[in-house]
Amino acid sequence: MNKKIDFKYHHIKHYKYQAQSKKTLITSILLTLFFALVELFGGIFSGSLALISDSFHMFSDVVALLFSIIAVFYSAKKPNKNFTYGFLRIEIISAFINGLALMIISVGIVIEAVKRLFNPEHVDFFTMFTIAVIGLLVNIILMFVLMKSLKKEKNLNVKSALWHFLGDTLNSVGVIIAAIILKLTNLVIFDIIISVIISVVIFTGGLKIAKEAFFILMEAVPSDLDIDEIHAKILTIDKIKDIHEFHLWNISEENISISFHILLDEYDGVNDYEIVNDVVELLKNEYGIEHVTVQIENPETNPHF
């Protein structure tokens, strides 16, 4: 009879419960979807490309938030025999897809702006201005909700959403300014200019999110850690001569893992467990790294060429 494997993890959990993030994301989805529809129909009715472009940005936020909800759900699932690291990476994959989607949408808006540059359309000031003001208020509320959530729980997707809505807030201010200028000058080109500026903001935000997620998916060294400094610190521990097979990466935004092999000055009478414990304590206390895998090697039994 096969004995059932008990997946025990004593250093870090490979899952996380995010009740606060879940509530925040559901609230954000409902508010964002409502206003995205308002902006879309308002943009079509008023003829404002700036409103239409911002509505697509808002719809992309809805999709991003839906992915985030799925990620939060799976992140709470514990590791099993097929996924020994758990499902935390889904949160990162979600963020990466969201970033790419934002970049694609921004390019589409710019293409539409170029078309309108040669074929201008009438824009209704009152509708454009009113919806932009409502949008500003909605985005400020959403930013407050997201910031409150991040104080309680760290979550890359909630952080991404915060950046989205910061961009949306600036976009709403831009649309308001464009509406006022349009009213005063009757120059439709300002609506096109604002839509392009919004696209740049969307593209920049999408690139930032996709880049951060990409580095985690590629198991790159976390940006806030200096691999040379960590390497040098480990070598200051008594009896450690050299380090090789050194790897440092993120499983998710918060879970950092490190693994390496150690060669010692001497092996006779040395307590390997004490050296490993010294390494683990150093990495935990100075760098916050708790998932540490260390292998001590002896060149006499483990040849190095």
Side-chain angles (χ1 to χ4, degrees):
M1 182 182 292
N2 293 327
K3 187 177 180 180
K4 186 178 180 181
I5 300 174
D6 185 10
F7 293 93
K8 295 179 180 179
Y9 299 92
H10 300 288
H11 298 288
I12 62 170
K13 294 190 300 182
H14 291 289
Y15 62 94
K16 57 181 179 180
Y17 297 112
Q18 304 170 95
Q20 182 63 43
S21 296
K22 191 182 295 183
K23 291 177 183 177
T24 299
L25 291 170
I26 291 173
T27 302
S28 300
I29 286 173
L30 295 175
L31 284 172
T32 306
L33 179 60
F34 168 74
F35 186 68
L37 291 169
V38 171
E39 271 200 322
L40 178 61
F41 289 114
I44 294 172
F45 178 77
S46 67
S48 170
L49 179 60
L51 279 180
I52 293 174
S53 63
D54 198 38
S55 73
F56 279 106
H57 186 190
M58 297 292 276
F59 279 121
S60 74
D61 287 343
V62 173
V63 174
L65 291 168
L66 286 171
F67 272 116
S68 300
I69 283 287
I70 295 171
V72 166
F73 172 76
Y74 272 99
S75 294
K77 292 173 67 68
K78 293 184 177 181
N80 57 40
K81 64 181 181 180
N82 293 319
F83 298 93
T84 57
Y85 270 120
F87 298 85
L88 294 175
R89 276 285 174 91
I90 291 180
E91 179 182 317
I92 310 304
I93 295 170
S94 168
F96 181 69
I97 294 172
N98 292 339
L100 290 181
L102 284 173
M103 294 164 69
I104 293 170
I105 289 169
S106 65
V107 172
I109 295 170
V110 170
I111 293 172
E112 181 61 27
V114 172
K115 291 179 181 178
R116 286 215 179 184
L117 188 63
F118 296 100
N119 299 286
E121 295 185 15
H122 171 73
V123 178
D124 180 71
F125 162 77
F126 180 77
T127 304
M128 181 180 178
F129 181 81
T130 302
I131 292 176
V133 171
I134 296 171
L136 180 61
L137 295 175
V138 170
N139 285 317
I140 289 173
I141 292 170
L142 284 169
M143 284 177 61
F144 176 77
V145 170
L146 292 167
M147 285 190 290
K148 186 177 179 181
S149 176
L150 284 172
K151 286 181 180 179
K152 297 182 178 180
E153 294 176 351
K154 288 185 68 177
N155 183 294
L156 181 59
N157 283 285
V158 173
K159 189 188 297 181
S160 299
L162 179 59
W163 280 102
H164 283 207
F165 292 122
L166 175 60
D168 288 339
T169 301
L170 296 175
N171 294 344
S172 296
V173 172
V175 174
I176 291 170
I177 294 172
I180 294 171
I181 294 175
L182 183 64
K183 178 67 174 178
L184 296 175
T185 64
N186 205 31
L187 294 175
V188 181
I189 192 171
F190 284 105
D191 179 58
I192 298 172
I193 291 171
I194 289 298
S195 69
V196 172
I197 293 173
I198 290 172
S199 298
V200 172
V201 173
I202 295 172
F203 188 90
T204 303
L207 180 62
K208 177 182 174 64
I209 294 163
K211 182 180 177 182
E212 187 175 351
F214 176 77
F215 272 89
I216 294 176
L217 291 173
M218 290 299 293
E219 299 188 341
V221 175
S223 59
D224 58 337
L225 294 176
D226 186 332
I227 195 169
D228 293 325
E229 179 189 323
I230 294 173
H231 195 281
K233 280 275 189 180
I234 294 170
L235 289 176
T236 64
I237 294 175
D238 188 38
K239 294 186 175 59
I240 295 181
K241 178 183 178 181
D242 195 15
I243 305 169
H244 60 274
E245 294 295 332
F246 192 93
H247 300 284
L248 176 62
W249 73 101
N250 275 107
I251 298 300
S252 63
E253 185 187 14
E254 298 174 347
N255 291 348
I256 302 171
S257 292
I258 189 169
S259 72
F260 52 91
H261 297 178
I262 289 175
L263 292 177
L264 304 179
D265 292 335
E266 56 181 303
Y267 292 86
D268 293 336
V270 174
N271 188 325
D272 293 354
Y273 296 105
E274 286 185 359
I275 293 175
V276 170
N277 187 65
D278 290 342
V279 170
V280 170
E281 288 299 312
L282 169 72
L283 294 170
K284 179 180 178 180
N285 295 332
E286 297 204 22
Y287 301 101
I289 303 173
E290 296 189 46
H291 194 258
V292 181
T293 305
V294 183
Q295 178 178 326
I296 295 180
E297 294 185 333
N298 187 331
E300 293 183 5
T301 55
N302 309 111
H304 290 71
F305 302 100

